[in-house]
Amino acid sequence: MSDNTIIKVSGLKKYYNGDQIKALDDINTTINKGEVVAIIGPSGSGKSTFLRSLNLLEVPTDGSILFEGVDITSKENDINVHRQKMGMVFQHFNLFPHLSVMGNMTLAPRKLLKMSKEDAEKKAKELLKMVALEDRAEAYPSQLSGGQKQRIAIVRALMMSPDVLLFDEPTSALDPEMVGEVLDVMKKLAQDGMTMAVVTHEMGFAREVATRVIFMENGKIALDGTPDEVFNNPSNERLKTFLAKVL
């Protein structure tokens, strides 16, 4: 494993009903520091299962996942320690409805990182400014639009200073006019060098921002290449059919 590799996946399998359903079928790949890896493919191809396996929200049937050199699938490993360094942004925000934006953002760093209230609030204000929501610190999730909630979910993940961010279809629950404001935040993170793995239906984002694109089909990686290789010179017939429908 090179010094630059942050995640190394070997022989990853996720089977259901014995081996009747192969959600993931022998996945092998690496993600290096600073890379933005877009994961695309048809519905049911295993994209979200793969992403969720990277922090053991899905427990693999077989295989190993090395995160920063540690096999997180090992029984001896404390996955919660590694999840602190691996932020996750979900499709449906997962904000605590009874807490304000400030409360949502400062809860984990104060509890898990033992950050002081003052330091946590200072950092939260800086991050809210980055996503142009500094005036919403005392608002509650019910008072926010979908795009605002997702931007809060992203900066909440950043409060833990993660080494990698995982995004599971972060814009698919949003109204079309709100998609752009979330993608703009993600583009800024990419420019700042954040390592990201993104399951997405936004082909424009995958083409413009990703350094690599993984195309999945039937629980396997059918193609792993640069955006140019995937979008401009697709060699895989299934990929050509998929792109014809989504572009």
Side-chain angles (χ1 to χ4, degrees), residues 123-225:
K123 182 170 184 176
K125 285 173 183 171
E126 288 168 1
L127 287 170
L128 286 171
K129 194 169 184 182
M130 183 189 94
V131 296
L133 288 173
E134 61 266 44
D135 60 334
R136 308 299 280 154
E138 299 311 318
Y140 284 81
S142 62
Q143 300 169 308
L144 304 173
S145 70
Q148 289 173 330
K149 287 178 193 173
Q150 196 58 294
R151 282 185 281 161
I152 297 299
I154 293 171
V155 289
R156 179 178 63 173
L158 291 174
M159 285 292 293
M160 298 295 287
S161 301
D163 296 337
V164 61
L165 272 181
L166 309 176
F167 292 85
D168 191 7
E169 299 189 19
T171 58
S172 63
L174 300 178
D175 292 334
E177 67 267 26
M178 293 175 184
V179 169
E181 62 192 49
V182 173
L183 292 180
D184 285 345
V185 173
M186 294 170 68
K187 286 175 188 174
K188 185 176 188 314
L189 291 175
Q191 288 162 1
D192 291 345
M194 174 59 75
T195 307
M196 300 193 283
V198 185
V199 171
T200 185
H201 294 292
E202 298 294 333
M203 296 302 133
F205 175 85
R207 179 179 263 170
E208 290 167 42
V209 183
T211 51
R212 269 171 59 214
V213 180
I214 288 174
F215 173 68
M216 292 188 66
E217 182 195 13
N218 297 329
K220 295 179 182 286
I221 292 178
L223 192 70
D224 180 346

Side-chain angles (χ1 to χ4, degrees), residues 55-57 67 78-87 162:
N55 66 357
L56 298 196
L57 286 177
F67 175 54
D78 182 354
I79 185 58
N80 291 318
V81 171
H82 295 280
R83 281 185 183 145
Q84 290 178 25
K85 297 184 279 185
M86 196 186 277

